[in-house]
Amino acid sequence: MWPNGNINKFCEETLSYSKLIAELDDVVIQMILGSYGLEKYYDPLKHSYMYLMRFIKYRSPNINEINIGHLPHRDKSFMGIIDTNQVGGLEMQTRDGKWMTFQPSSYKTVVFIAGEPFTAWSNGKVYAPMHRVIMKGSKDKYSLALFSFMRGIVKVPEELIDEENPQHFKSFDHFQFLKYCATDGCKEKNPIKAYCGV
C-alpha cells in the first residue's frame, strides 16, 4: 500500500483528518442536544465517546452481479459520519419506508447517520435510518467513515420521558450491545429493541 514508504505521513494526515471530523461531530451533537433542550448532557456524552475511523472501498460490480455495494443495515455506532468523496451510491430509507438516493454536491460533502444506540438514548426521537450502498457503472467508490461509540451505560434522559412518550428503552452497555449484534442479535429485525426495549 505504501511502496515509497510514506506510512508516517499517511498516519499523520489520517489522525489530523479524524480530529477535524470529530470536531464536526461535536458541533452536530451540541446542535441536537440544544434542539431538545438537553445541553446539560453534552459533557457526559462527550467524555464517554470513543471513535473508530474506517477507510472503505466499494468495488464496481462485475458483469452478471447485482448492483449492491453494501446490504441494507442500521449502524450499531452512536453516530456515523461518512465522507462521500463526491461519489453517489448511498441510499437511505425514510421513516415511512421509502428509499431516497443521496446525491453529494460538487463540494466536500459529509453525511451524518444516527445509529441504533442514539435512537435508544433519545427514547426514539432520533431516527436511525436503514441505509445501503448501490454500486453502478465501472467506477469504484472510496469513502471515509468515523463512527462514535459510548463507554459506560447509555441511559435515556428523564426529560425525554413523559406520558405522551413513555420510556421505550432500558439503560444498556453499548459494547455489550455490539457483542449481542455479533451473535444472537444478528437474526433480529430490530436489534436495539430486542436488546434493551421496554
Side-chain angles (χ1 to χ4, degrees):
M1 196 167 169
W2 295 278
N4 299 321
N6 292 325
I7 183 77
N8 289 337
K9 184 173 182 345
F10 176 81
C11 290
E12 288 169 11
E13 290 182 1
T14 298
L15 181 60
S16 176
Y17 177 82
S18 65
K19 286 179 179 178
L20 286 172
I21 295 297
E23 288 175 18
L24 189 57
D25 177 66
D26 194 45
V27 170
V28 170
I29 288 295
Q30 288 182 59
M31 290 170 54
I32 293 169
L33 294 177
S35 72
Y36 289 114
L38 300 173
E39 294 88 348
K40 72 178 187 179
Y41 291 98
Y42 169 72
D43 281 335
L45 277 179
K46 186 63 184 168
H47 294 301
S48 67
Y49 261 25
M50 64 178 294
Y51 292 100
L52 168 68
M53 187 164 154
R54 293 187 61 200
F55 296 85
I56 305 169
K57 175 185 177 181
Y58 301 104
R59 68 169 175 78
S60 59
N62 294 325
I63 297 171
N64 300 325
E65 276 189 314
I66 59 171
N67 293 331
I68 290 190
H70 200 302
L71 295 172
H73 66 286
R74 285 187 173 89
D75 286 347
K76 306 307 180 232
S77 59
F78 196 77
M79 176 100 81
I81 305 171
I82 301 167
D83 183 333
T84 64
N85 197 25
Q86 288 84 42
V87 179
L90 177 64
E91 294 185 355
M92 287 185 263
Q93 192 175 44
T94 61
R95 285 184 189 255
D96 61 1
K98 295 177 183 165
W99 284 97
M100 58 180 246
T101 301
F102 173 76
Q103 295 294 339
S105 70
S106 58
Y107 300 102
K108 191 73 172 163
T109 305
V110 293
V111 178
F112 290 81
I113 300 178
E116 290 182 295
F118 202 171
T119 295
W121 180 87
S122 68
N123 201 31
K125 290 189 180 292
V126 175
Y127 175 59
M130 185 76 75
H131 55 285
R132 63 189 177 194
V133 176
I134 304 291
M135 293 300 299
K136 297 178 181 176
S138 58
K139 196 173 184 183
D140 292 342
K141 175 181 171 52
Y142 296 91
S143 61
L144 290 169
L146 186 75
F147 299 100
S148 59
F149 298 89
M150 306 292 286
R151 291 178 287 230
I153 301 301
V154 179
K155 181 180 178 185
V156 176
E158 292 177 10
E159 294 87 341
L160 296 178
I161 303 169
D162 56 32
E163 287 182 14
E164 290 181 22
N165 191 34
Q167 186 168 356
H168 298 290
F169 298 95
K170 298 178 279 193
S171 299
F172 67 99
D173 181 294
H174 193 161
F175 289 94
Q176 291 301 316
F177 171 64
L178 294 176
K179 287 181 183 177
Y180 170 75
C181 290
T183 56
D184 299 337
C186 67
K187 302 169 190 163
E188 295 290 342
K189 185 175 180 182
N190 190 339
I192 195 72
K193 195 74 175 167
Y195 184 70
C196 63
V198 173

